[in-house]
Amino acid sequence: MANPFEKPIYITSPLLPNAEDAANKISEIWESGQITNNGKQHKELTEQLEAYLQAPHLSLFNNGTLALLLGLKALGLTGEVITTPFTFPATVQALDWNGLTPVFCDIDPITLNIDASKIESLITERTSAILAVHVFGNPCDVEQIGKIAEKYKLKVIYDGAHVFGAKLNGRPISDFGDMTMFSFHATKLFNTIEGGALSVKSEDVLKKLNLLKNFGILNPEEVVLSGLNAKMNEVQAGIGIEVLKLVEEERSKRHQLMKLYEHNLAEIPGIRPITVLEGEESSYQYFVIEVDEQEFGFSRDWLHRELEKYNVYTRKYFYPLCSDFEWYRQLESAKPENLPKAQKAVKEVLSMPYYGKLPLEAVNQICQLIKELQQSSKALTRI
């Protein structure tokens, strides 16, 4: 079979301003003489993101993991937190660093988010919060989660690493819950090279966050909290200002890619797109598929390996389940029999190459390659 790709097609490519604009921004920062500690770029990016995300109480961080870690700290959580096993390790690692015990809840097989109908049965007298993840940009069942939280007086934190700019029924995604974390890692739709932010409902929590991310320093003579250094610096913020100018065009390009993937993959039995939202409800962060081994004829892992032979790099994302980490296996909630939907999804999900610079023709070729790999391999198995 001919290989249409001489050069590797990677799963993503960072959205970057052109070199001249980046250099001008760096020169501006150099001229100011301030490269960190809440300078002009930091303040400007905060204002721009508050407007773009419609999130009036926003705090910037040097990465999303520390944002989530300190967000949990700011809420004063104790005991157990109900969360999903199907997420990036940082979600549950933030619980670890706060001395909190995760209680894993199975997922919805369609959205792959935490299954809200299973949360209530996991609540105990030690439960203090629900930490849910908007997986691949699919919003959680925020209404049901909110009702449960209100009934049991629990805090709700959303890991929104995948939902930058998304809305739900016209409302910004950060309107829901007590706190939403956004990731600005280089792989995300919007990036500050590394970075993140927390959107919170309470101005008092915002003030606490701004102390926690700067060693707990209130003023030159007072340290009032035990904090960390989690501030976003001026270079990160400056690059973010330039990247934000490009986001809408990038969203438009990714929308075209998504529709083309959907059209082509509809012809291949056994493949279901996970990320299907459009317009203001979509973050256009990832394009992810589910490979049904029985219907497709081959496993997700097989397709992942075969595509790599042709220079197409996909990712088994998320893999493995967080509940399968060695330090969680002893938990009752981590037992595989308690998480059947998550155990199934982790073997079927594949994140595809998806970024604005990816040519439309490359998507056609990737989908055609999948079709040919399936057909030729099935023919070989019949011989």
Side-chain angles (χ1 to χ4, degrees):
M1 190 185 305
N3 186 354
F5 303 112
E6 293 182 6
K7 295 182 179 180
I9 301 294
Y10 293 113
I11 188 167
T12 191
S13 178
L15 181 60
L16 295 173
N18 67 54
E20 184 178 353
D21 289 339
N24 289 338
K25 181 59 72 175
I26 297 297
S27 295
E28 181 184 337
I29 295 167
W30 258 232
E31 289 173 12
S32 76
Q34 183 172 8
I35 59 173
T36 189
N37 288 348
N38 199 30
K40 177 178 180 293
Q41 309 297 328
H42 186 285
K43 292 174 181 175
E44 185 176 336
L45 182 61
T46 300
E47 292 174 0
Q48 291 185 12
L49 287 175
E50 284 178 340
Y52 186 89
L53 298 171
Q54 296 177 256
H57 300 123
L58 192 81
S59 185
L60 300 181
F61 290 80
N62 57 4
N63 63 64
T65 302
L66 285 179
L68 185 57
L69 189 154
L70 291 178
L72 297 170
K73 178 78 170 177
L75 292 177
L77 304 180
T78 59
E80 298 175 347
V81 174
I82 297 172
T83 192
T84 173
F86 190 69
T87 184
F88 190 70
T91 307
V92 293
Q93 287 168 343
L95 295 174
D96 286 347
W97 283 86
N98 277 282
L100 299 165
T101 300
V103 175
F104 295 110
C105 178
D106 207 5
I107 63 174
D108 177 272
I110 303 301
T111 65
L112 307 188
N113 292 324
I114 192 169
D115 187 341
S117 70
K118 291 181 167 58
I119 291 175
E120 197 164 2
S121 65
L122 298 172
I123 295 173
T124 72
E125 68 277 2
R126 298 190 66 234
T127 307
S128 60
I130 300 166
L131 172 54
V133 181
H134 301 298
V135 174
F136 306 140
N138 293 326
C140 293
D141 186 347
V142 294
E143 184 176 339
Q144 183 64 17
I145 291 172
K147 288 178 181 177
I148 294 169
E150 184 177 3
K151 179 178 178 180
Y152 292 93
K153 296 180 171 54
L154 304 176
K155 296 294 185 183
V156 177
I157 305 96
Y158 285 109
D159 181 332
H162 294 180
V163 286
F164 181 84
K167 294 183 179 181
L168 181 58
N169 299 322
R171 292 175 62 185
I173 201 72
S174 57
D175 263 6
F176 305 97
D178 297 281
M179 180 178 291
T180 299
M181 181 277 289
F182 295 100
S183 170
F184 304 152
H185 185 266
T187 58
K188 299 300 187 286
L189 172 74
F190 167 77
N191 79 87
T192 56
I193 304 175
E194 284 273 6
L198 282 174
S199 171
V200 298
K201 293 292 185 63
S202 162
E203 193 166 347
D204 288 339
V205 173
L206 181 67
K207 290 177 181 177
K208 190 172 184 180
L209 284 172
N210 288 336
L211 287 170
L212 285 169
K213 73 179 183 182
N214 189 35
F215 309 100
I217 297 172
L218 180 63
N219 58 53
E221 297 182 355
E222 292 181 272
V223 179
V224 295
L225 291 172
S226 179
L228 294 172
N229 181 11
K231 304 183 299 295
M232 178 179 285
N233 64 53
E234 287 291 274
V235 175
Q236 288 175 301
I239 295 298
I241 289 168
E242 295 302 315
V243 172
L244 191 59
K245 298 173 183 177
L246 311 175
V247 165
E248 286 309 305
E249 182 182 358
E250 177 72 8
R251 281 169 54 85
S252 177
K253 290 178 179 178
R254 292 189 184 202
H255 178 250
Q256 293 180 62
L257 294 168
M258 182 190 82
K259 299 308 292 182
L260 193 56
Y261 264 127
E262 288 179 344
H263 173 75
N264 288 331
L265 293 175
E267 303 174 0
I268 306 175
I271 290 184
R272 177 178 77 93
I274 299 294
T275 43
V276 297
L277 297 177
E278 295 186 66
E280 68 174 12
E281 295 198 341
S282 178
S283 62
Y284 296 107
Q285 173 58 60
Y286 295 107
F287 185 81
V288 182
I289 62 173
E290 182 180 76
V291 181
D292 183 322
E293 182 173 357
Q294 185 172 354
E295 190 176 354
F296 181 69
F298 303 92
S299 70
R300 181 276 313 273
D301 289 356
W302 175 89
L303 182 59
H304 171 70
R305 291 191 302 268
E306 290 300 307
L307 287 173
E308 190 170 325
K309 293 176 183 177
Y310 290 85
N311 260 346
V312 177
Y313 290 83
T314 58
R315 186 178 175 192
K316 298 184 286 184
Y317 186 61
F318 303 105
Y319 181 86
L321 290 179
C322 293
S323 53
D324 286 338
F325 295 167
E326 183 179 348
W327 52 97
Y328 291 139
R329 289 177 189 163
Q330 82 285 356
L331 297 175
E332 180 67 23
S333 67
K335 291 181 177 179
E337 59 266 31
N338 292 327
L339 304 167
K341 299 296 192 299
Q343 289 288 341
K344 181 175 184 292
V346 78
K347 299 171 185 174
E348 296 181 340
V349 166
L350 196 62
S351 190
M352 304 298 292
Y354 190 59
Y355 48 93
K357 291 189 292 186
L358 183 65
L360 293 173
E361 182 55 27
V363 172
N364 286 328
Q365 291 169 324
I366 290 169
C367 295
Q368 182 62 29
L369 181 59
I370 293 173
K371 188 185 301 183
E372 290 179 6
L373 285 169
Q374 181 197 43
Q375 292 173 349
S376 63
S377 296
K378 278 188 174 181
L380 285 173
T381 60
R382 290 194 293 266
I383 295 174

